[in-house]
Amino acid sequence: MSSASTAPASPATASTAAASAFADVTASESALRRWLHGLPGVDAVGLEARAATLGTRSIKTTAKAYALDLAISMIDLTTLEGADTPGKVRSLCAKGANPDPSDRTTPQVAAICVYSDMAAVAKRALAAGGGERIKVASVATAFPSGRAALSVKLADTREAVAAGADEIDMVIDRGAFLAGGYGKVFDEIQAVKDACRRPAGGPTQAAGSGGGSAHLKVIFENGELSTYDNIRRASWLAMLAGADFIKTSTGKVAVNATLPGTLLMLEAVRDFRAATGTQIGVKPAGGIRTAKDAVRYLVVVNETAGPDWLSPDWFRFGASSLLNDLLMQRQKLSTGRYSGPDYVTVD
């Protein structure tokens, strides 16, 4: 497939264009399986070597300042704990809207990511605290296991959307995928995509979101897919089913986001846009904790998918602790002194 740059399709026509381009592939489960298993095998050694090489690139001070601000603007600031409270969510929203009270030029984060029962709390807190443009992302579909009846997954999704979620982070059924049940996974993604449509009279979609639908991020849990070939297949399967973003992981397993896995997903979205004109976002999540890590990922984005993806609309970091290190590095660039963790709030 060609990697030539083309303008992405509008949200209204994107899924239609993709469906038309791959109508034969998605006509039946057997056709889908044949096509996915016909994708070129991944050269693991070459992939890891390229990721390692890109990860050693250094950037100068001016570019670093830009990269730090860009990374902050791409963060889905996340709390996904059983002990989450409305107070904790409100505090997280305040930090996302005003990450560094001592420097009002600090960008706001892209989204606040919470469980569905906290979506309304986050929506109200952002509206009251100057974060109206920040998205509310809600995990759904029996996160993090993905083990539930489809009716339960859809109810979870609809509840989050009705509460004001602008984005839904769904997790695929890895058991079904690994057993070769690609049709089941495909159908569930399509059904959840349909459930992302905002009901008439529901809360207003956040600025920049796609019309009357919450955007859908599809989580693979790369650490459980085991092979790069499976990550490539999952990427194409999710995009063919209508994902707006593809996401590496839940952050709840031992192996989460990695540079090679993310590079592979970026190659997939690049090639998908070349084939369909539809641009899909990528979100690595889990284990990205330092500004140095974030800059490495941005270099990989630029060198693999291209500068069109260097935007919160097309690339996100799922993180809870990354923001603090980005803020400390930003303060060091502006003052020449390393402030340390006592100068930022603990989430």
Side-chain angles (χ1 to χ4, degrees):
M1 295 179 181
S2 168
S3 61
S5 177
T6 57
S10 69
T13 61
S15 60
T16 301
S20 176
F22 287 92
D24 292 342
V25 171
T26 59
S28 68
E29 180 162 10
S30 60
L32 181 61
R33 181 180 296 107
R34 283 195 303 272
W35 193 87
L36 291 175
H37 281 270
L39 289 169
V42 179
D43 174 3
V45 174
L47 177 71
E48 291 171 359
R50 177 164 170 75
T53 299
L54 292 174
T56 62
R57 296 270 181 92
S58 62
I59 58 176
K60 303 302 182 182
T61 302
T62 302
K64 184 175 181 180
Y66 169 76
L68 292 176
D69 278 5
L70 182 59
I72 291 171
S73 75
M74 290 174 163
I75 288 178
D76 283 5
L77 194 57
T78 302
T79 183
L80 297 170
E81 303 297 334
D84 285 343
T85 64
K88 182 178 180 181
V89 171
R90 285 192 287 266
S91 177
L92 201 68
C93 291
K95 181 168 185 174
N98 187 17
D100 184 354
S102 70
D103 185 351
R104 296 291 179 152
T105 68
T106 308
Q108 294 183 335
V109 300
I112 301 294
C113 186
V114 294
Y115 278 112
S116 57
D117 64 322
M118 291 291 174
V121 174
K123 194 76 171 178
R124 289 193 296 268
L126 291 170
E132 298 90 346
R133 295 189 63 82
I134 297 174
K135 310 289 193 300
V136 173
S138 174
V139 296
T141 67
F143 178 95
S145 70
R147 311 296 303 191
L150 179 58
S151 59
V152 174
K153 295 179 180 182
L154 297 181
D156 191 18
T157 301
R158 292 186 184 112
E159 179 182 337
V161 173
D166 305 297
E167 301 172 351
I168 296 295
D169 288 32
M170 77 165 284
V171 59
I172 65 168
D173 181 340
R174 280 88 72 196
F177 180 90
L178 292 170
Y182 302 134
K184 178 183 178 184
V185 177
F186 182 91
D187 290 344
E188 286 201 350
I189 294 171
Q190 285 200 320
V192 173
K193 175 80 169 179
D194 187 62
C196 286
R197 294 176 183 169
R198 193 170 304 285
T204 302
Q205 187 82 353
S209 295
S213 249
H215 280 188
L216 178 62
K217 304 194 198 89
V218 178
I219 309 170
F220 303 149
E221 202 68 286
N222 285 355
E224 293 184 349
L225 295 187
S226 301
T227 70
Y228 291 130
D229 285 341
N230 277 339
I231 294 171
R232 174 172 281 172
R233 290 175 190 136
S235 297
W236 279 90
L237 175 62
M239 293 186 295
L240 290 170
D244 297 301
F245 261 76
I246 53 176
K247 179 177 171 181
T248 64
S249 31
T250 64
K252 300 294 186 182
V253 298
V255 179
N256 291 291
T258 65
L259 272 180
T262 304
L263 191 159
L264 184 57
M265 293 164 67
L266 287 162
E267 288 178 344
V269 298
R270 176 200 66 197
D271 293 345
F272 188 78
R273 190 179 79 168
T276 67
T278 301
Q279 188 161 336
I280 307 295
V282 175
K283 177 180 173 180
I288 305 171
R289 297 185 176 89
T290 68
K292 185 178 290 186
D293 288 338
V295 170
R296 289 192 185 106
Y297 276 88
L298 295 180
V299 170
V300 169
V301 173
N302 187 64
E303 295 298 319
T304 305
D308 286 353
W309 271 266
L310 287 176
S311 159
D313 291 335
W314 304 111
F315 193 79
R316 301 281 183 84
F317 293 105
S320 55
S321 58
L322 172 62
L323 178 58
N324 280 355
D325 196 60
L326 288 167
L327 292 175
M328 288 188 287
Q329 296 300 328
R330 194 177 189 274
Q331 290 167 0
K332 182 182 179 182
L333 276 183
S334 65
T335 66
R337 299 184 304 276
Y338 188 74
S339 300
D342 291 342
Y343 286 79
V344 293
T345 59
V346 178
D347 301 324

